[in-house]
Amino acid sequence: MKSGISIDEVLAEVVAMVRPHFGKGRPADYIPQLAGVDPRQFGMAVCTVKGEEAYVGDADVPFSAQSITKLFALGLALNQIGDEVWTRVGKEPSGTPFNFLSQLEHEQGVPRNPFINAGALAITDILLDTVPSPDALVRDFLGMLSDSRLEIDEAVARSEVETAHKNRAIANLMRGFGTLTHDAEAVILAYCRQCAITISCRQLARAALPLAADGFSPIAEETIFPSRLTRRLNALLLTCGTYDSVGSFAYRVGLPAKSGVGGGILAVVPGQATIAVWSPELDRFGTSVVGAAALEHFSQLTNCSVL
Ligand code: GLN
């Protein structure tokens, strides 16, 4: 990253630049428990592969990780069964919202990619082959990678399980096609609990470091993903990580990234750093408005776009 100024100075500039973007989006309200979050929060953390850390604002406030967890669940599944994952789920952008149903029927219950909800449900189904609680597996994986003890927010989990009508329809459709092998309700429960993991920007940026460091976690001091898999995870983030706004996100920010409806976005600068940003107000694609603006400014100021 080239900017001539320190990361702390870049973050201070980003904070000033994003201020006008507050109030342009709305926190997720289809999961009732998320609607109650104070919308004007903002945190950002950067971890470099060399061990530097910088953070600003609410970077230590835990938020609902939601779909960002799908990346780590996918990493676990790929480590477990390798390329067999790709017999269950595709690797193409969907061009549709994350909980879109009819594309799945047209495509015989095979999800376009592992980051839309259907694909994440398929990954949960794979993890259920080997563990009774994939949600706890993902929580503990993220905890190990960030050197912290993470929690599942039970109120958020309950709220999502109670209102997961569209996700239930997706799971049942896949069960009908035979692309889910476990009981649909068991998959929904584990998926919703996984999404309800809470994490702060600082913890998330640390946890994602293997994606920037060729698969190695400097925090856990071990290789988490083979180098080739790390590149592939970044390719999937770049092409599928922000759903049906992935093209405009790449145009603006130019980094592999994963959004979540809790308002978090994780971005990777391969070979250099991870960036986690959080602010609850979302655009209509489920991406944090202020978070995306912050990443856009950061990428411009540091010239770190991969494109
Ligand atoms: N738990 C959310 C859902 O299933 C995750 C969506 C997201 O973060 N994009 O709807």
Side-chain angles (χ1 to χ4, degrees):
M1 293 185 289
K2 296 181 227 82
S3 61
I5 56 173
S6 72
I7 305 177
D8 283 320
E9 288 167 317
V10 172
L11 290 185
E13 233 178 272
V14 166
V15 170
M17 283 166 143
V18 297
R19 214 162 276 142
H21 295 280
F22 280 111
K24 290 185 181 168
R26 290 182 38 211
D29 53 8
Y30 74 101
I31 301 172
Q33 197 67 26
L34 292 183
V37 174
D38 172 7
R40 297 289 167 108
Q41 299 179 82
F42 172 79
M44 190 163 182
V46 180
C47 290
T48 72
V49 298
K50 292 186 185 143
E52 297 157 279
E53 287 192 3
Y55 42 94
V56 75
D58 301 310
D60 284 320
V61 177
F63 61 89
S64 195
Q66 293 294 322
S67 285
I68 298 171
T69 60
K70 293 171 178 172
L71 166 66
F72 296 89
L74 172 65
L76 284 166
L78 282 164
N79 270 351
Q80 274 183 14
I81 64 166
D83 282 345
E84 215 184 301
V85 165
W86 306 122
T87 63
R88 306 280 302 273
V89 55
K91 14 179 155 51
E92 299 299 337
S94 68
T96 56
F98 56 79
N99 56 4
F100 198 67
L101 185 67
S102 58
Q103 183 177 52
L104 191 61
E105 175 151 40
H106 277 293
E107 299 181 359
Q108 279 74 48
V110 180
R112 274 286 174 100
N113 68 63
F115 297 145
I116 53 171
N117 290 5
L121 290 166
I123 299 298
T124 301
D125 194 62
I126 290 169
L127 295 178
L128 270 171
D129 287 343
T130 48
V131 290
S133 305
D135 46 302
L137 183 73
V138 175
R139 177 200 59 199
D140 295 345
F141 186 45
L142 276 162
M144 183 267 286
L145 292 174
S146 59
D147 192 24
S148 46
R149 218 185 109 80
L150 300 180
E151 307 285 346
I152 291 172
D153 185 325
E154 295 295 336
V156 170
R158 216 173 311 119
S159 180
E160 184 162 354
V161 171
E162 279 165 11
T163 55
H165 312 300
K166 290 192 88 172
N167 286 335
R168 259 188 200 95
I170 290 169
N172 280 302
L173 185 62
M174 290 173 71
R175 188 79 170 126
F177 275 110
T179 50
L180 274 196
T181 61
H182 294 272
D183 173 55
E185 203 49 42
V187 177
I188 287 290
L189 181 65
Y191 166 79
C192 292
R193 290 183 60 76
Q194 173 194 305
C195 287
I197 293 169
T198 55
I199 195 161
S200 69
C201 288
R202 193 134 59 121
Q203 290 166 328
L204 181 59
R206 284 182 183 172
L209 270 171
L211 290 156
D214 225 13
F216 183 77
S217 166
I219 306 285
E221 296 181 338
E222 62 179 281
T223 297
I224 306 298
F225 305 121
S227 148
R228 194 165 60 162
L229 175 55
T230 307
R231 281 199 300 280
R232 290 174 166 175
L233 287 169
N234 283 325
L236 288 163
L237 288 174
L238 189 67
T239 53
C240 309
T242 46
Y243 314 114
D244 45 339
S245 66
V246 78
S248 47
F249 190 90
Y251 185 89
R252 288 176 67 192
V253 178
L255 294 174
K258 184 73 211 82
S259 58
V261 295
I265 310 175
L266 169 68
V268 181
V269 189
Q272 298 191 58
T274 54
I275 311 159
V277 62
W278 168 62
S279 193
E281 294 175 336
L282 307 178
D283 64 17
R284 66 192 171 90
F285 305 104
T287 302
S288 169
V289 173
V290 180
L295 287 169
E296 184 176 3
H297 290 310
F298 184 92
S299 146
Q300 277 170 12
L301 290 170
T302 61
N303 202 15
C304 70
S305 163
V306 298
L307 302 165

